[in-house]
Amino acid sequence: GENVEQHPSTLSVQEGDSAVIKCTYSDSASNYFPWYKQELGKRPQLIIDIRSNVGEKKDQRIAVTLNKTAKHFSLHITETQPEDSAVYFCAASEGTYKYIFGTGTRLKVLA
Amino acid sequence: KAGVTQTPRYLIKTRGQQVTLSCSPISGHRSVSWYQQTPGQGLQFLFEYFSETQRNKGNFPGRFSGRQFSNSRSEMNVSTLELGDSALYLCASSLLRESDEQYFGPGTRLTVT
């Protein structure tokens, strides 16, 4: 079945540096790729998403890239701030109302 | 607009018991999905409902079941609880039929002793 691998599991960066989280999916029919941020004790919240007909999408300091051929998609956070510290989850969906999530990346931004 | 709500927020049960969790989606949202979140496994898809119909199901045993009512509110039930069922159970609602942004509820923390 569909599988999503996410790396790294933990990531520490200095404030102001960039952070990159990578995901690989297995089902070539996947066409929707959201990223969620979950702060400690809170619910996951969508931060950015991308559909398979787009290669890149940006929203201020956050960007997502998609390589359909390699079945990779990545989250890029620039100019990281302490409030970016959280667990980030990628997910993939092939349109059948089923989202498969990666195992999460714990990002720590060091002041 | 009110967000997704889940009740109860915390629950402690004993092995062998059963439990029912409730989720009320955002007004107008007709799709409700359920996930189990554990520290080692991340978010695992349980099932999704739209207009009272289960459209997809994850790889969980038959002890896990759900339903959706005509007002889009959804319940999930776990029978014969096991220690490994201890987790945060999240529901998420979305507006459209196709893959679309999901809005998560705060979750129900279930502890099985």
Side-chain angles (χ1 to χ4, degrees):
Chain A
E2 170 76 88
N3 183 49
V4 176
E5 293 188 359
Q6 183 173 347
H7 299 282
S9 57
T10 60
L11 179 60
S12 294
V13 299
Q14 289 294 132
E15 182 178 0
D17 287 350
S18 295
V20 180
I21 302 170
K22 298 181 179 181
C23 289
T24 303
Y25 60 97
S26 60
D27 189 342
S28 56
S30 295
N31 57 13
Y32 177 64
F33 308 91
W35 285 88
Y36 286 84
K37 175 183 180 182
Q38 187 175 28
E39 296 177 75
L40 190 61
K42 296 189 176 181
R43 70 191 75 186
Q45 292 201 308
L46 181 75
I47 55 172
I48 196 167
D49 58 10
I50 191 168
R51 297 188 184 273
S52 59
N53 58 348
V54 175
E56 183 176 4
K57 185 177 179 180
K58 289 183 180 180
D59 183 3
Q60 300 182 342
R61 296 186 297 109
I62 295 173
V64 58
T65 59
L66 171 65
N67 182 330
K68 285 192 297 182
T69 303
K71 292 190 275 188
H72 288 169
F73 58 113
S74 300
L75 177 71
H76 304 253
I77 306 174
T78 59
E79 301 173 18
T80 54
Q81 301 167 3
E83 52 265 38
D84 294 329
S85 295
V87 178
Y88 292 80
F89 292 96
C90 64
S93 172
E94 78 280 48
T96 57
Y97 330 114
K98 179 177 178 178
Y99 294 74
I100 304 300
F101 280 77
T103 49
T105 295
R106 183 173 300 278
L107 174 63
K108 296 181 183 178
V109 180
L110 308 172
Chain B
K1 184 183 275 190
V4 179
T5 59
Q6 292 186 244
T7 57
R9 294 292 311 279
Y10 303 91
L11 206 49
I12 299 175
K13 290 286 187 179
T14 304
R15 272 180 303 175
Q17 289 185 315
Q18 74 164 15
V19 66
T20 299
L21 312 181
S22 181
C23 172
S24 292
I26 291 172
S27 178
H29 285 194
R30 295 166 64 190
S31 169
V32 174
S33 298
W34 287 89
Y35 296 88
Q36 180 193 67
Q37 185 174 26
T38 56
Q41 298 295 320
L43 285 90
Q44 291 191 288
F45 174 79
L46 280 156
F47 25 66
E48 188 266 355
Y49 288 88
F50 184 90
S51 292
E52 303 178 65
T53 300
Q54 185 184 90
R55 300 192 295 187
N56 213 327
K57 189 177 189 302
N59 298 322
F60 278 82
R63 299 185 298 108
F64 291 81
S65 63
R67 59 177 175 169
Q68 187 180 34
F69 302 94
S70 59
N71 62 358
S72 295
R73 188 177 70 85
S74 178
E75 290 182 344
M76 68 164 282
N77 183 278
V78 188
S79 62
T80 320
L81 284 166
E82 301 177 358
L83 295 178
D85 296 334
S86 295
L88 179 68
Y89 290 89
L90 292 158
C91 78
S93 74
S94 61
L95 180 61
L96 298 178
R97 294 178 63 90
E98 292 80 23
S99 296
D100 196 40
E101 179 175 352
Q102 292 190 315
Y103 295 84
F104 281 87
T108 294
R109 173 75 62 186
L110 172 65
T111 301
V112 182
T113 61

